[in-house]
Amino acid sequence: MTGQTDRTGQGDDGTPGRHDDTGGGDGGPAARDRGDGGSGSRDSGSGGRGYGGGDRGPGEGDGTGAWKALASRYALLPLRIFLGVTFVYAGLDKLTDSSFFADTGSGSIGETMRGVRDVSAIPALVDLALKNPAGFGYAIAFGELAVGLGTLFGLFARVAALGGALISLSLWLAVSWQVSPYYLGNDLVYLMAWLPLLLAGASVLSLDRLLAERRRIR
């Protein structure tokens, strides 16, 4: 009884109130309770780590998070390839068709401009093109080719996207403005498609990224 009282009220160093062994010895219920509580805390921590820890939620530790990050990184690449190929094809198609640059005749730029002059959003723009139909045609063709190549290779990607958007805007206002309902006109769709690339640029598989990395190394 005396030994039990000493352990309860006083520690080995004589400091009162430590109560290290209160509630039983090493194997007593209180000690076991404290031990179980410590294990519970550790188990809770382990449970958090089982989900990938920290900010990650369930299922992200098995590679799903990495897959989502990869998909987000390359999300604009299909759009970039489509627009690049389409504009390269459109430019080459015009440059290899001699009748396109004629002032008159079926399929010529001059005939097309005269046909849409009265229904375009900006007739003055059409009148400007009609002053030199061949020059306007070559400007469109080489512009499409340059925009397409810049987009495909990711070289000055934002500048290329801006050029593509301006070409699409001019063609929408001059040529396909009268199309009703509006969603049947492809130039407006192309204009909207260029905007994500104009905002984001070409961050993957591009010469812009390669040049930026070389500048950082220097």
Side-chain angles (χ1 to χ4, degrees):
M1 294 295 294
T2 304
Q4 184 178 1
T5 303
D6 292 340
R7 286 194 303 274
T8 303
Q10 186 173 0
D12 294 338
D13 57 357
T15 304
R18 290 183 61 183
H19 303 297
D20 291 337
D21 297 328
T22 301
D26 294 338
R32 285 195 298 273
D33 290 341
R34 288 195 302 273
D36 293 341
S39 299
S41 299
R42 287 192 297 272
D43 290 341
S44 298
S46 299
R49 288 191 297 272
Y51 288 126
D55 298 332
R56 290 185 293 177
E60 292 188 5
D62 58 0
T64 304
W67 169 252
K68 288 181 179 179
L70 186 66
S72 298
R73 185 182 181 191
Y74 289 91
L76 290 179
L77 187 59
L79 177 63
R80 184 178 135 203
I81 293 174
F82 170 75
L83 290 175
V85 170
T86 301
F87 269 60
V88 168
Y89 176 79
L92 291 177
D93 186 50
K94 292 178 178 64
L95 290 172
T96 55
D97 182 8
S98 58
S99 63
F100 174 76
F101 301 102
D103 185 25
T104 58
S106 177
S108 66
I109 183 67
E111 196 69 26
T112 300
M113 291 293 101
R114 276 187 288 271
V116 299
R117 196 268 177 201
D118 294 332
V119 292
S120 67
I122 308 178
L125 179 63
V126 180
D127 291 337
L128 181 63
L130 286 174
K131 290 182 178 180
N132 188 356
F136 181 75
Y138 276 111
I140 292 293
F142 281 114
E144 288 174 336
L145 184 60
V147 163
L149 291 175
T151 301
L152 277 179
F153 290 104
L155 181 62
F156 303 112
R158 283 191 173 90
V159 176
L162 177 61
L166 291 176
I167 291 174
S168 300
L169 176 63
S170 64
L171 292 178
W172 175 50
L173 294 175
V175 179
S176 57
W177 177 261
Q178 81 284 359
V179 176
S180 181
Y182 72 91
Y183 53 79
L184 295 179
N186 59 355
D187 294 313
L188 178 59
V189 177
Y190 283 121
L191 172 60
M192 294 297 106
W194 281 113
L195 297 184
L197 296 181
L198 177 60
L199 295 173
S203 59
V204 295
L205 301 179
S206 67
L207 292 177
D208 284 345
R209 181 181 178 86
L210 179 62
L211 294 173
E213 290 176 349
R214 288 188 175 182
R215 284 194 295 267
R216 281 197 297 268
I217 292 174
R218 292 177 183 177

